[in-house]
Amino acid sequence: MSSSVGTGFLGRSSSSNANMRGLVQFIADLRNARARELEEKRINKELANIRQKFKDGNLSGYHKKKYVCKLLYIYILGWNVDFGHLEAVKLISATKYSEKQIGYLAMTLFLHEKHELLHLVFNSIRKDLVDHNELFNCLALHAIANIGGREMGEVLSGDVHSLLISPTSKSFVKKKAALTLLRLYRKHPAIVQPQWAERIVSLMDEPDLGVALSVTSLVMALAQDDLEAYKGAYVKAASRLKRIVIDGEFTPDYLYYKVPCPWIQVKLLRLLQYFPPSEDGHVRGMIRESLQKILDLALETNKNVQQNNALNAVLFEAINLIIHLDTEHDLMKQISSRLGRFIQSRETNVRYLGLEAMTHLAARADTLDPIKQHQDIIIGSLKDRDISVRRKGLDLLYSMCDASNARTIVAELLHYLQNADFAIREEMVLKIAILTEKYATDVQWYVDISLRLIAMAGDHVSDEVWQRVIQIISNNEELQVYAARNTLQYCKQDHCHETLVKIGAYILGEFGHLIAEERGCSPIEQFLALQNKLPACSSSTRGMVLSAFVKFVNLFPEIKPQLLNTFSVYSHALDPELQQRACEYLALATMPTDDLLRTVCDEMPPFPERESALLSRLHQKHAKTSDKRTWVVGGKDANADAAELSMAIKPGGLKRAFTTQGPVPGAPANGSSSAANDLAGLDMSGGGAAAAADAAKPSKPPNLASAAHLSPGWERGYNRLMLRADGVLYEDGQIQVGVRSEYRGQMACLILYLTNKTPALITSVTTTLDLDEAERPNLGWDIKGLPDPTLSQGGQTQQVVLFEAKRVFAKSPTIRVSYIAGALQALTLMLPVALHKFMDPAELSADDFFKRWKQIGGAPREAQAIFGLAAAAKHAERELTEGFVRAVVEGFRWGVLNGVDPNPRNFVGASVVHTSEGGKFGCLMRLEPNYASQMLRLTIRATDEALPPVLLSLMQKQLERGVATTQERPPPPTVQEISDAFRNVMVTTSSR
């Protein structure tokens, strides 16, 4: 009795509780409705009051600001305040900061980049950008960054750039300007002009680390799309990294838990990965030194979590750079052992970063043995509690897979696929399919894995996967029988995924006759296996099955009645495509003769070898990220293939054949064909899209360091130093460029001295060497020291460059010197490094000279020219004198042979030209001057036919200049006297 009473009491209590909850909810809804009604009345009343105040038009600036603030609050609550937009725009023109601030705040909330009122604020924003008030500058920059679309960017980007490069801009304004320009560039890349590149890169040397950090972020985005224009950022990044890590050039404000400014370190390390490794030994040395210091600091154990996070951020970016350089073998050995410990760490972030770095290593390493040692741990990461770690483990397994471990890895991935997260199943399916195709050496294994994969994860199998399976089976006869037999077994199962039905329809329709005599594979069994799946399939799959059935009519006449019945049933289907298909197939099957049926149902030809869409689909997930990766997930072969490496940037596919490495004869070279659309979904894009994309790219920016952009006045110092080892190459009111040089055989050491002649500070000093593309194999250089980026008043810095004459070269290298002295200044000068500088005088007797002169003979080992003064020299009243001609001959390092020529006025000389790869070449010269007619005949012979025309051209250019004619001219100093005087000046300046 008590039990019954208790049960009934509990039942009534539950019902009462439910009713009570419903009543409470009803009362709450009433209260909410009442509150909304009261809120609406209050809002409408307030809006009417504000509208009236604005309409009266006699509000002070303070009251305008107050009412716009109210509108902001009402707008945030979700109410419409369109009438207040214009008032907010007007408030931007206020002169008081507090009013202008509210105006900009309201504008950024009320307006969007395509709002019709936006045109009204362009002039106001531009006025604030050029204002001397830094706070106004910042408000305008904030507005542009938050709203700026294409039109606003095109109108105002120039002013933003001017704020960024202005020497009078405060640091916090430059930071905001750089980030604003970055925001505009990400929206519309054409807004940033190509000619801004050099000036933007120079700002990476800013003393303020905050400005340098913001500018580096901007350069990272710009350099990814145009490496050539921003190639100067490579040296800047390497130098700045060294100054922070090695030299300790940072303020205490940027020391984060004892780690010096880790944010800019990470960005600089990432920026260096965008460019190919530098060939300059000095730059490589700076990077190597910085990386070693970072690795050494990471060995210290710290209990502070924030410090460990900062150290790890820098460390893993350094590891990625070491892998990218691929030349620092000592550093590579150090990171290989560390990565094995990182992937076993207890911290999720460290495991994630370790797996990512190891994936990068697998993409670049020549051998995968160090990674394979941790294969069990990597497989275990697929079961990690964090899905991000599981993704990275999947990437690493995919990258480290090769012929030796493919079966093991594919089996583990298939095993894990059953319990994998839905978020990564499609990616797993793609990678399993690619690995199976890539490393399949047994045809049966390929078919088994492919069908098992589709059976397990059919819902996550993209069209590219099953269509690729059909393509490979169709193109390889050894697969067809086995594939048809196994596909039929899957189709006979009660639970068969629709994707397997598609494969079964195609494979059995094409190759079902190959297994028709086998037990359990008779025509009627093939028919029933497919027919039983029809009711549960989609219209597209049913269409494929009907196409298989019409081929059965041609192949298996014994089951024709069952096939005709199926066509008859579907000729009344509601789906028009199915109905049309069934009616056409029924008409074909019931024609008096089978001639047309045989023609239509003939076996499909092999598919032309084309680009697989699997790789393209796999790499598309990295295609639209703001930070473009310089490598793809995969092994070294994938990263060595330019086609696959570009898939993360633009769509495309990689051509892969299953049994042959080359394309099928007769197939289009680019993988595209108008008649090759046999399977929907295959990536058939050809060269047209790529050509259109190339046409849409901006034109290549000019190389300002080339000889085509030499600065006015460069010839004077160049011509003077062609005959001397030391002297002033260029000088103006701001800077002096001096040169000291020493030549030994095929090697040369050139020291450039840069001296500040202004009373102010010169910053961001940058030098860039360049040489004509055709001459680069003939003349090499190695920079041994970079100039200091900052020059104080009267200060001097130097740069050391070693040159090597590998073969005969005709053109001199150029150097571009850029610096900031109020504004960006730049000089492009030709360096006095010419072939004759690598000559050594030779001593010969008269008999030896004539003997060798005859041995060399005439053309092509001889070059001769008759010439006089150049037109410009004649106009400048210059002349040819014996002293001038002798100075030129001696300056060209000829060994003058006296008493050899019968005419004592003639000059006869001998020398040896040194090259490292071509060897030594003997050269002979005869110069016949006629001072009365002011004409010269120059003949040069050499043991190498490339030498005479080069030396002749160099000497002719110098001799044609002549010497100035002056009535009272003191005797000119000798070359040795000038050289000694300049050396003394250089030594004195250096000691200071």
Side-chain angles (χ1 to χ4, degrees):
M1 183 66 181
S2 60
S3 177
S4 301
V5 172
T7 304
F9 176 77
L10 289 174
R12 287 193 300 272
S13 177
S14 299
S15 176
S16 299
N17 289 341
N19 292 335
M20 183 61 69
R21 284 195 298 271
L23 180 61
V24 170
Q25 183 63 43
F26 176 70
I27 294 172
D29 291 342
L30 284 178
R31 288 178 177 174
N32 290 337
R34 179 62 177 166
R36 283 195 298 270
E37 183 180 349
L38 292 174
E39 180 184 334
E40 185 174 1
K41 287 182 179 180
R42 176 69 183 275
I43 291 294
N44 288 335
K45 181 180 178 181
E46 190 64 36
L47 288 177
N49 179 48
I50 296 173
R51 187 181 287 109
Q52 186 61 42
K53 294 291 186 182
F54 283 142
K55 188 179 295 185
D56 294 342
N58 56 356
L59 293 175
S60 64
Y62 170 78
H63 286 91
K64 286 182 180 179
K65 178 184 69 172
K66 181 181 71 173
Y67 289 124
V68 170
C69 284
K70 287 187 175 183
L71 289 177
L72 275 172
Y73 181 71
I74 294 171
Y75 174 79
I76 292 173
L77 291 177
W79 301 92
N80 188 6
V81 292
D82 287 351
F83 72 92
H85 291 180
L86 186 58
E87 299 299 330
V89 168
K90 292 179 181 177
L91 206 56
I92 294 175
S93 303
T95 55
K96 290 187 177 180
Y97 174 77
S98 59
E99 297 170 12
K100 189 183 289 287
Q101 181 187 32
I102 297 300
Y104 273 112
L105 177 61
M107 185 191 74
T108 55
L109 286 175
F110 291 161
L111 308 185
H112 53 82
E113 64 180 72
K114 296 184 180 179
H115 200 283
E116 61 271 9
L117 290 179
L118 204 59
H119 297 276
L120 302 177
V121 301
F122 283 0
N123 288 333
S124 298
I125 295 178
R126 171 171 283 169
K127 183 179 178 182
D128 289 333
L129 284 175
V130 300
D131 198 287
H132 295 296
N133 189 323
E134 291 86 0
L135 298 178
F136 289 1
N137 298 156
C138 293
L139 289 176
L141 291 171
H142 276 294
I144 296 171
N146 282 284
I147 304 176
R150 178 188 295 274
E151 190 172 357
M152 179 180 279
E154 290 173 348
V155 173
L156 300 174
S157 60
D159 298 301
V160 177
H161 177 253
S162 298
L163 266 182
L164 174 63
I165 67 175
S166 172
T168 59
S169 294
K170 296 291 181 64
S171 295
F172 63 88
V173 176
K174 287 186 177 182
K175 286 190 286 187
K176 294 181 188 299
L179 297 178
T180 300
L181 211 56
L182 174 60
R183 183 68 176 270
L184 291 175
Y185 178 77
R186 285 175 174 170
K187 283 189 175 182
H188 304 287
I191 286 175
V192 176
Q193 302 300 315
Q195 59 267 26
W196 295 352
E198 189 174 19
R199 188 65 177 88
I200 291 174
V201 169
S202 68
L203 291 171
M204 292 177 65
D205 281 328
E206 277 285 320
D208 188 282
L209 281 174
V211 177
L213 175 62
S214 301
V215 171
T216 302
S217 300
L218 174 61
V219 171
M220 285 177 67
L222 297 170
Q224 290 178 68
D225 297 327
D226 194 349
L227 291 179
E228 182 64 26
Y230 292 89
K231 62 183 179 181
Y234 191 90
V235 177
K236 295 282 186 188
S239 176
R240 192 75 193 231
L241 185 65
K242 177 182 178 295
R243 281 152 50 196
I244 293 173
V245 177
I246 305 298
D247 303 334
E249 290 187 15
F250 56 87
T251 59
D253 296 342
Y254 287 90
L255 195 64
Y256 179 80
Y257 289 95
K258 301 181 181 179
V259 182
C261 38
W263 308 279
I264 194 169
Q265 283 195 58
V266 168
K267 288 184 180 293
L268 293 173
L269 291 167
R270 179 72 58 85
L271 179 59
L272 290 171
Q273 295 174 50
Y274 297 149
F275 297 89
S278 174
E279 297 180 358
D280 190 284
H282 180 70
V283 176
R284 288 200 306 268
M286 287 194 301
I287 296 174
R288 185 187 307 112
E289 190 177 359
S290 301
L291 291 173
Q292 185 62 62
K293 183 66 176 292
I294 292 172
L295 292 179
D296 293 341
L297 290 174
L299 289 175
E300 302 175 4
T301 57
N302 303 287
K303 295 182 179 179
N304 190 294
V305 176
Q306 285 82 359
Q307 185 176 356
N308 281 333
N309 288 340
L311 284 172
N312 285 336
V314 177
L315 172 63
F316 281 105
E317 209 57 64
I319 289 174
N320 285 328
L321 178 57
I322 293 170
I323 297 170
H324 172 76
L325 295 176
D326 199 25
T327 55
E328 306 299 333
H329 301 296
D330 293 338
L331 297 177
M332 287 283 281
K333 292 178 182 178
Q334 296 181 47
I335 66 171
S336 298
S337 59
R338 295 189 190 188
L339 288 177
R341 296 196 301 269
F342 289 146
I343 63 175
Q344 303 178 60
S345 173
R346 293 182 178 181
E347 296 183 30
T348 303
N349 289 339
V350 176
R351 291 198 305 276
Y352 174 89
L353 293 172
L355 290 169
E356 183 179 45
M358 198 171 278
T359 305
H360 189 185
L361 179 62
R364 295 293 177 87
D366 293 322
T367 175
L368 296 172
D369 292 338
I371 302 175
K372 290 179 182 178
Q373 296 175 2
H374 310 288
Q375 183 169 308
D376 294 338
I377 299 171
I378 298 168
I379 291 174
S381 67
L382 294 175
K383 301 175 183 178
D384 195 275
R385 60 180 179 273
D386 190 284
I387 188 172
S388 300
V389 177
R390 296 198 291 271
R391 283 183 184 275
K392 287 302 169 186
L394 175 62
D395 286 345
L396 179 51
L397 285 172
Y398 174 77
S399 298
M400 63 183 286
C401 187
D402 58 16
S404 64
N405 60 4
R407 294 206 174 198
T408 303
I409 290 179
V410 169
E412 290 292 341
L413 291 178
L414 278 173
H415 176 71
Y416 174 67
L417 183 62
Q418 298 174 344
N419 302 315
D421 299 81
F422 285 93
I424 62 173
R425 281 195 181 183
E426 182 179 352
E427 184 180 345
M428 286 193 70
V429 169
L430 276 172
K431 289 180 175 176
I432 293 172
I434 294 170
L435 293 178
T436 306
E437 175 185 340
K438 188 175 182 180
Y439 297 108
T441 55
D442 181 3
V443 294
Q444 295 185 4
W445 183 75
Y446 173 78
V447 173
D448 290 341
I449 296 297
S450 299
L451 296 181
R452 183 182 167 194
L453 173 66
I454 296 170
M456 290 175 57
D459 291 335
H460 304 278
V461 174
S462 60
D463 289 342
E464 290 87 351
V465 174
W466 67 266
Q467 289 166 2
R468 183 63 175 166
V469 172
I470 289 177
Q471 179 186 349
I472 291 175
I473 292 174
S474 300
N475 286 7
N476 295 273
E477 294 184 4
E478 63 269 30
L479 286 175
Q480 293 166 2
V481 173
Y482 188 79
R485 186 186 306 121
N486 281 268
T487 303
L488 177 59
Q489 299 306 317
Y490 275 102
C491 290
K492 284 183 176 182
Q493 296 177 5
D494 294 336
H495 302 287
C496 178
H497 196 274
E498 185 175 341
T499 305
L500 280 172
V501 177
K502 293 179 181 179
I503 296 178
Y506 191 95
I507 298 299
L508 293 178
E510 292 296 321
F511 313 113
H513 63 282
L514 299 177
I515 60 171
E517 303 299 327
E518 297 182 11
R519 183 178 180 182
C521 302
S522 63
I524 189 64
E525 288 179 288
Q526 295 185 35
F527 167 74
L528 292 175
L530 293 176
Q531 188 191 42
N532 292 336
K533 301 299 182 290
L534 277 174
C537 293
S538 62
S539 297
S540 60
T541 305
R542 293 180 186 180
M544 291 186 68
V545 174
L546 292 179
S547 298
F549 285 172
V550 77
K551 294 209 169 190
F552 283 178
V553 174
N554 183 42
L555 296 172
F556 310 129
E558 61 269 28
I559 60 171
K560 186 173 182 179
Q562 292 89 332
L563 297 168
L564 294 179
N565 181 56
T566 303
F567 292 148
S568 177
V569 170
Y570 279 93
S571 63
H572 302 287
L574 295 178
D575 187 282
E577 199 276 334
L578 278 179
Q579 185 185 107
Q580 180 179 356
R581 189 183 292 256
C583 290
E584 290 175 354
Y585 291 163
L586 184 62
L588 275 174
T590 55
M591 295 183 87
T593 63
D594 293 340
D595 295 339
L596 181 59
L597 179 66
R598 291 195 185 97
T599 303
V600 172
C601 298
D602 196 12
E603 184 177 341
M604 294 290 290
F607 291 100
E609 263 316 317
R610 61 192 65 169
E611 297 174 348
S612 170
L614 301 183
L615 288 166
S616 178
R617 185 178 181 89
L618 177 64
H619 294 308
Q620 282 308 299
K621 66 175 183 175
H622 301 295
K624 296 182 180 179
T625 58
S626 60
D627 186 16
K628 296 178 182 176
R629 184 181 283 173
T630 58
W631 52 280
V632 297
V633 176
K636 190 175 179 69
D637 56 342
N639 285 271
D641 194 308
E644 185 168 354
L645 191 59
S646 66
M647 287 180 185
I649 301 174
K650 58 184 179 180
L654 179 65
K655 183 178 294 184
R656 286 196 185 280
F658 185 71
T659 57
T660 176
Q661 295 299 320
V664 171
N670 59 1
S672 63
S673 172
S674 59
N677 296 321
D678 309 296
L679 291 177
L682 281 175
D683 186 3
M684 300 297 293
S685 59
D694 291 340
K697 290 181 180 178
S699 58
K700 185 178 180 180
N703 181 9
L704 298 178
S706 67
H709 297 85
L710 291 170
S711 301
W714 67 272
E715 301 100 330
R716 184 178 179 182
Y718 172 78
N719 289 326
R720 183 168 55 241
L721 288 172
M722 287 289 281
L723 306 177
R724 307 173 188 172
D726 309 3
V728 177
L729 179 62
Y730 180 85
E731 185 173 15
D732 58 19
Q734 293 182 327
I735 197 168
Q736 181 190 75
V737 182
V739 170
R740 286 182 61 190
S741 60
E742 183 177 351
Y743 292 82
R744 293 183 180 178
Q746 71 272 14
M747 300 301 298
C749 177
L750 198 76
I751 305 176
L752 280 91
Y753 294 90
L754 307 177
T755 307
N756 179 8
K757 297 179 61 179
T758 68
L761 194 70
I762 286 181
T763 60
S764 193
V765 178
T766 307
T767 58
T768 306
L769 268 71
D770 190 65
L771 183 62
D772 186 84
E773 192 74 31
E775 296 285 4
R776 291 181 184 178
N778 304 329
L779 180 66
W781 67 75
D782 189 13
I783 298 175
K784 292 300 182 183
L786 294 174
D788 295 331
T790 303
L791 281 176
S792 59
Q793 178 183 358
Q796 187 182 80
T797 184
Q798 67 181 40
Q799 177 171 359
V800 180
V801 187
L802 296 182
F803 288 94
E804 179 185 9
K806 298 179 180 178
R807 287 184 287 270
V808 175
F809 64 95
K811 296 181 180 179
S812 298
T814 56
I815 186 169
R816 183 169 179 82
V817 181
S818 62
Y819 57 93
I820 296 177
L824 178 68
Q825 308 291 335
L827 303 169
T828 302
L829 308 172
M830 187 168 287
L831 291 176
V833 178
L835 185 63
H836 70 275
K837 298 276 190 175
F838 297 91
M839 294 198 314
D840 283 333
E843 293 290 336
L844 292 177
S845 64
D847 293 338
D848 289 338
F849 177 84
F850 286 114
K851 179 181 178 181
R852 297 187 182 185
W853 183 271
K854 293 178 181 178
Q855 286 178 345
I856 295 174
R861 295 184 178 181
E862 178 188 89
Q864 187 181 84
I866 300 174
F867 56 91
L869 291 171
K874 292 179 181 178
H875 187 267
E877 298 183 354
R878 300 176 75 87
E879 65 178 352
L880 293 171
T881 64
E882 184 176 357
F884 167 71
V885 174
R886 179 175 294 276
V888 172
V889 172
E890 292 177 352
F892 268 75
R893 301 168 67 90
W894 290 102
V896 178
L897 308 179
N898 297 317
V900 173
D901 197 284
N903 187 345
R905 287 178 171 268
N906 294 346
F907 291 90
V908 175
S911 67
V912 177
V913 176
H914 300 269
T915 62
S916 59
E917 297 181 5
K920 298 180 181 180
F921 305 107
C923 300
L924 303 176
M925 179 272 300
R926 187 181 186 210
L927 177 62
E928 303 168 80
N930 187 332
Y931 301 113
S933 62
Q934 294 287 289
M935 297 294 290
L936 300 167
R937 180 166 71 177
L938 177 62
T939 307
I940 295 178
R941 292 184 180 183
T943 55
D944 183 81
E945 61 185 47
L947 267 173
V950 175
L951 293 176
L952 180 72
S953 174
L954 290 172
M955 287 194 68
Q956 182 176 343
K957 289 178 181 178
Q958 294 300 315
L959 291 167
E960 285 178 340
R961 296 174 56 244
V963 65
T965 58
T966 306
Q967 296 297 330
E968 298 180 0
R969 183 177 58 204
T974 65
V975 175
Q976 188 61 41
E977 290 173 347
I978 297 173
S979 177
D980 292 340
F982 186 79
R983 184 177 291 107
N984 292 334
V985 171
M986 289 296 181
V987 171
T988 304
T989 308
S990 301
S991 63
R992 290 177 184 174

